[in-house]
C-alpha cells in the first residue's frame, strides 16, 4: 500500500472508518501515537489513528531533537532508562532512521568555573555512556569514542567559547535529529504503508470522532482505543497522574556563536545535573535549551516561551561565551510540555523519563517516555494486544537508510529523487521559495502530496519548520499560501 498521506486519502479512509471496524483506534498523532500505529499495523492489526490537529502538533515538535544515549539518566542513577535509551538510539541510527538521526559531537568546555573534579566526573559519565553504547551494539563508526580535547580543538569546534581560563574540553557523541516533526511524519507514513489510516483534524471525545474540517461526527467501532495524547492524557483517561513540565528553547543564528560545529554544554550554576546547551542545526541556526519547570493549571494548546525563560537561557549560555548574547540575537523561541508521570516529589528535572502502559476495559493508555524511546513504548503497548511478535526494531522508516548529500537527501533520505522529480516542468520549484529562506518549492508540494499536510500552517509549522525563525515564517507565508491554493499541488 502507498505510504502517501494527503487530503484525498484522508477523505476516503474517514468514510471507511464510519462504516467499518478496526482492531486499534489510536488517539494522538505525536511520536507515541504514530509509533503505536506503526507497531500495531506491522503485527497485522487493523489500525486507525486520529489526531485533532496535525501530525506532531503537540509536544513532539518542541523537543531538543536529541536522540539520547542516556547520559543524563546515568547521572540520576536511572540505569534502566539509560540502557533503554542507548538501545533505541542504536536502533534509530543504524536501522530504522539513519537518514534522520546523525552523530553530533557534544562538548563540555573545561572553563574557569568547571573544577578539575567536575571535569573528571564529566569524563567518567562519558566513559560509562560509551559502555552503554557498546552494550547496545552501536558501532564506533556510528558514535566515535569520547575523549579529552585541547584548547585549539575546542575553539575550532566552538569558535564562540570563552577563552579566559579555558583548559580544553570533554567531547562525547550522541544522536541528533534532522527534525523531530519529520520523524513523526516518517513513522506515520510507514504505518500508512502497512495499511493504517492516519487521519488528522479528527478529534476524539467520549467515544465520538468529529471531523474538524466538516463538522461530521461518527462513532468508531474499535476493539481497543489507545490513548496517546501525551500531556493531555487525563482528558481521555480520567485519574491519569501526570506532572507536566514546561521546556523552552530559543533559536539563534549560528553566526552569533561564531558558527559552531559541535553542541556546547554549560552547567547551570547551583543546580546539579542541569545544563544549558546550544545545538547547531542545518540552515545556519542554533537551538539553545533547556528549561524544566512544573506547569500548573490548564495546559495551553501551544505553550509559549516567556521573557524570563528566554533571559535565563541567554544568560546561562553567555557564561560560557566570549561575547555575551542579548535579546537581539534571538531569531525565535519555542516551548513544549513534557508528559511526565507523577509520583515523586522534587524538581521535574529529576523525574524519571520512564513510560507506562495500562490496559483497562478496552482503553490502553501510553504515558511518559520520550522521543528516543517511542519504539519501545509502542512495543510494550502493543504487546498487551497481540501475541504476534514485534518487528519494528528491523523495520526501516520511509526514507531510510540514507539519501544523496545535500538538503533533500538530509531531509527526505532515499526519497530525495522522488521529491526533486516534482519539479519536472517547473524548475523554479527547486529554488528557495523566497530569498533568504532555506526551503525549496518541491518540499511544500511533497508535504501536500505525500506527507499529509492539509494547509499552510501544516507546511510552515510542521513539515518545513520555517516557523522556528520568525523572519522566515513571515517572508514565506504568502508563497506557502499561494502554493496551497494552487490546484496542481493537490494529489
Ligand atoms: C522541551 C522538551 C524537550 C524535549 N527534548 C527531548 C529530546 O531531546 N529527546 C527526547 O527523546 N525526548 C525529548 N522530549 C520528550 C518528548 O518530546 C516527548 O516525550 C514526546 O514528544 C511526547 O510525545 P507524545 O506523542 O506522547 O505526545 P504529543 O507529541 O504531545 O502528542 C499528543 C497528540 O495528541 C493530540 N491530541 C490530544 N487530545 C486529542 C484528542 N482528544 N483527539 C485527538 N488528538 C488529540 C495532540 O494534538 C497531540 O498532537 C522533550 C520534551 C520537551 C517538552
Amino acid at each position: 500500500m502507498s505510504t502517501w498521506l494527503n487530503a484525498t486519502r484522508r477523505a476516503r479512509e474517514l468514510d471507511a472508518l464510519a462504516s467499518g471496524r478496526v482492531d486499534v483506534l489510536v488517539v494522538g498523532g505525536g511520536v507515541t501515537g504514530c509509533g503505536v500505529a506503526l507497531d500495531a499495523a506491522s503485527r497485522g492489526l487493523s489500525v486507525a489513528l486520529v489526531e485533532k490537529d496535525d501530525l506532531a502538533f503537540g509536544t513532539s515538535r518542541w523537543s531538543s531533537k536529541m536522540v539520547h544515549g542516556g547520559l543524563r539518566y546515568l547521572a540520576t542513577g536511572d540505569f534502566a532508562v539509560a540502557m533503554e535509551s542507548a538501545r533505541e538510539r542504536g536502533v534509530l541510527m543504524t536501522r530504522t532512521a539513519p537518514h534522520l538521526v546523525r552523530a553530533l559531537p557534544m562538548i563540555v568546555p573545561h572553563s574557569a568555573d568547571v573544577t578539575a573534579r567536575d571535569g573528571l566526573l564529566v569524563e567518567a559519565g562519558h566513559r560509562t555512556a560509551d559502555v552503554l553504547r557498546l552494550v547496545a551494539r552501536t558501532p564506533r563508526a556510528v558514535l566515535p569514542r569520547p575523549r579529552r580535547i585541547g584548547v585549539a580543538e575546542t575553539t575550532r569546534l566552538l569558535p564562540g567559547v570563552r577563552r579566559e581560563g579555558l583548559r580544553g574540553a570533554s567531547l562525547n557523541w550522541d544522536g541528533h535529529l534532522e527534525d523531530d516533526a519529520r520523524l513523526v511524519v516518517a513513522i506515520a507514513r510507514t504505518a500508512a504503508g502497512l495499511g493504517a489510516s492516519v487521519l488528522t483534524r479528527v478529534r476524539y471525545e467520549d467515544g465520538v470522532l468529529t471531523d474538524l474540517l466538516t463538522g461530521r461526527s461518527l462513532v468508531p467501532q474499535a476493539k481497543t482505543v489507545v490513548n496517546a495524547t501525551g500531556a493531555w492524557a487525563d482528558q481521555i483517561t480520567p485519574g491519569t497522574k501526570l506532572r507536566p513540565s514546561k521546556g523552552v528553547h530559543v533559536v539563534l543564528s549560528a553566526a552569533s556563536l561564531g558558527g559552531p560545529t559541535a553542541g556546547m554544554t554549560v552547567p547551570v550554576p547551583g543546580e546539579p545535573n542541569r545544563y544549558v546547551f546550544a545545538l547547531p542545526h542545518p540552515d545556519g541556526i542554533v537551538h539553545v535549551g533547556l528549561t524544566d519547570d512544573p506547569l500548573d493549571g490548564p495546559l495551553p494548546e501551544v505553550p509559549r516561551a516567556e521573557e524570563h525563560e528566554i533571559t535565563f537561557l541567554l544568560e546561562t549560555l553567555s557564561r560560557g561565551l566570549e561575547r555575551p548574547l542579548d535579546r537581539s540575537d534571538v531569531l525565535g523561541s519555542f516551548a513544549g510540555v513534557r508528559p511526565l508521570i507523577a509520583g515523586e516529589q522534587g524538581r521535574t528535572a529529576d523525574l524519571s523519563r520512564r513510560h507506562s502502559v495500562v490496559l483497562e476495559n478496552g482503553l490502553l493508555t501510553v504515558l511518559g517516555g520520550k522521543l528516543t524511546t517511542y519504539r519501545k513504548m509502542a512495543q510494550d503497548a502493543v504487546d498487551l494486544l497481540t501475541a504476534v511478535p514485534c518487528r519494528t526494531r528491523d523495520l526501516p522508516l520511509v526514507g531510510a537508510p540514507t539519501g544523496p548529500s545535500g538538503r533533500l537527501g538530509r531531509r527526505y533520505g532515499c526519497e530525495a529523487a522522488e521529491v526533486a522529480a516534482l519539479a519536472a516542468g517547473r524548475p523554479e520549484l527547486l529554488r528557495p521559495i523566497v530569498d533568504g529562506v532555506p526551503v525549496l518549492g518541491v518540499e511544500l508540494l511533497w508535504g501536500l502530496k505525500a506527507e499529509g499536510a492539509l494547509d499552510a500552517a501544516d507546511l510552515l509549522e510542521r513539515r518545513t519548520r520555517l516557523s522556528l525563525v520568525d523572519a522566515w515564517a513571515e517572508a514565506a507565508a504568502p508563497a506557502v499560501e499561494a502554493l496551497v491554493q494552487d490546484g496542481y499541488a493537490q494529489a
Side-chain angles (χ1 to χ4, degrees):
M1 189 179 265
S2 168
T3 64
W4 283 23
L5 296 174
N6 49 50
T8 314
R9 179 171 181 173
R10 175 187 178 279
R12 192 178 62 234
E13 294 190 345
L14 198 51
D15 278 346
L17 185 60
S19 55
R21 183 178 170 78
V22 287
D23 294 321
V24 183
L25 176 74
V26 181
V27 184
V31 75
T32 306
C34 293
V36 171
L38 172 58
D39 191 308
S42 69
R43 296 201 219 186
L45 298 173
S46 57
V47 180
L49 177 147
V50 292
E51 159 59 52
K52 69 171 170 45
D53 213 289
D54 182 24
L55 294 171
F57 182 82
T59 303
S60 297
R61 67 178 150 143
W62 304 128
S63 81
S64 305
K65 295 150 191 51
M66 291 303 296
V67 172
H68 295 291
L71 179 58
R72 57 163 301 184
Y73 313 117
L74 282 177
T76 52
D78 219 337
F79 282 94
V81 173
M83 192 61 238
E84 187 172 87
S85 281
R87 276 208 191 93
E88 293 305 317
R89 177 184 64 181
V91 169
L92 279 159
M93 295 186 80
T94 61
R95 278 176 272 178
T96 58
H99 59 312
L100 291 176
V101 188
R102 289 176 273 274
L104 179 72
M106 295 290 295
I107 289 182
V108 183
H110 294 191
S111 49
D113 55 358
V114 174
T115 63
R117 184 174 168 277
D118 290 343
L120 289 173
L121 282 174
V122 166
E123 275 167 8
H126 287 177
R127 276 196 301 275
T128 316
D130 195 47
V131 172
L132 294 189
R133 174 204 58 76
L134 188 70
V135 177
R137 300 198 185 151
T138 310
R140 266 229 196 291
V142 174
L143 287 166
R145 187 191 299 277
R147 61 195 170 90
R148 171 80 70 102
I149 58 174
V151 172
E153 192 170 357
T154 308
T155 54
R156 182 172 60 75
L157 294 166
L158 301 176
V161 71
R162 189 170 181 163
R163 307 292 202 270
E164 195 190 325
L166 184 68
R167 309 186 302 281
S170 306
L171 180 154
N172 80 321
W173 295 78
D174 216 340
H176 190 217
L177 275 162
E178 167 69 24
D179 180 48
D180 42 14
R182 294 208 61 74
L183 175 70
V184 175
V185 171
I187 300 168
R189 285 188 51 215
T190 310
L194 293 168
S197 298
V198 176
L199 307 165
T200 58
R201 303 301 194 296
V202 176
R203 190 178 58 223
Y204 175 91
E205 204 175 346
D206 297 332
V208 178
L209 297 182
T210 308
D211 176 354
L212 298 176
L213 297 184
T214 62
R216 168 189 178 200
S217 292
L218 64 107
V219 178
Q221 302 300 313
K223 231 185 262 173
T224 307
V225 173
V226 177
N227 178 0
T229 56
W232 294 267
D234 56 351
Q235 293 174 8
I236 294 178
T237 312
T240 302
K241 299 251 180 313
L242 277 167
R243 187 146 175 240
S245 132
K246 183 180 175 193
V248 165
H249 290 83
V250 294
V251 181
L252 309 177
S253 88
S256 65
L257 299 175
T261 48
M264 175 177 175
T265 308
V266 176
V268 177
E271 295 211 40
N273 193 28
R274 257 199 88 186
Y275 298 91
V276 164
F277 47 77
L279 304 172
H281 277 258
D283 303 327
I285 57 172
V286 170
H287 291 188
V288 178
L290 180 69
T291 64
D292 193 332
D293 297 303
L295 191 65
D296 301 319
L299 292 187
E301 279 279 289
V302 180
R304 306 262 170 229
E306 306 287 340
E307 272 311 311
H308 70 91
E309 295 166 322
I310 294 174
T311 305
F312 163 80
L313 292 174
L314 294 178
E315 286 184 357
T316 310
L317 185 65
S318 292
R319 294 169 62 89
L321 298 176
E322 196 65 4
R323 181 187 77 84
L325 299 162
D326 64 41
R327 190 62 175 83
S328 67
D329 290 307
V330 176
L331 303 180
S333 61
F334 59 94
V337 184
R338 297 176 188 81
L340 302 184
I341 301 173
E344 301 159 50
Q345 296 300 310
R347 301 187 315 176
T348 48
D350 295 331
L351 281 188
S352 169
R353 268 47 174 171
R354 280 167 202 267
H355 61 263
S356 85
V357 293
V358 177
L359 177 61
E360 235 168 26
N361 304 325
L363 177 62
L364 174 52
T365 306
V366 193
L367 260 194
K370 54 197 179 304
L371 212 90
T372 307
T373 53
Y374 82 91
R375 194 207 62 80
K376 183 61 168 56
M377 290 171 77
Q379 176 177 349
D380 291 349
V382 180
D383 277 350
L384 298 181
L385 305 181
T386 173
V388 176
C390 176
R391 43 177 287 239
T392 50
R393 203 172 243 278
D394 295 305
L395 188 67
L397 302 182
V398 291
T402 47
S405 59
R407 178 177 178 84
L408 293 182
R410 208 181 75 217
R411 296 179 68 77
Y412 301 91
C414 67
E415 292 191 317
E418 216 179 326
V419 178
L422 294 178
R426 293 176 73 178
E428 71 280 7
L429 289 174
L430 282 175
R431 288 199 288 275
I433 45 177
V434 285
D435 284 347
V437 162
V439 171
L440 314 181
V442 283
E443 296 181 65
L444 302 180
L445 213 50
W446 184 251
L448 294 165
K449 277 183 173 295
E451 297 186 330
L454 297 178
D455 62 19
D458 291 355
L459 291 172
L460 281 165
E461 295 176 23
R462 290 165 290 273
R463 301 304 177 281
T464 66
R465 311 312 302 275
L466 281 170
S467 299
L468 293 179
V469 172
D470 299 342
W472 286 350
E474 203 178 314
V480 176
E481 287 285 359
L483 194 115
V484 171
Q485 301 308 323
D486 179 353
Y488 177 77
Q490 301 309 319

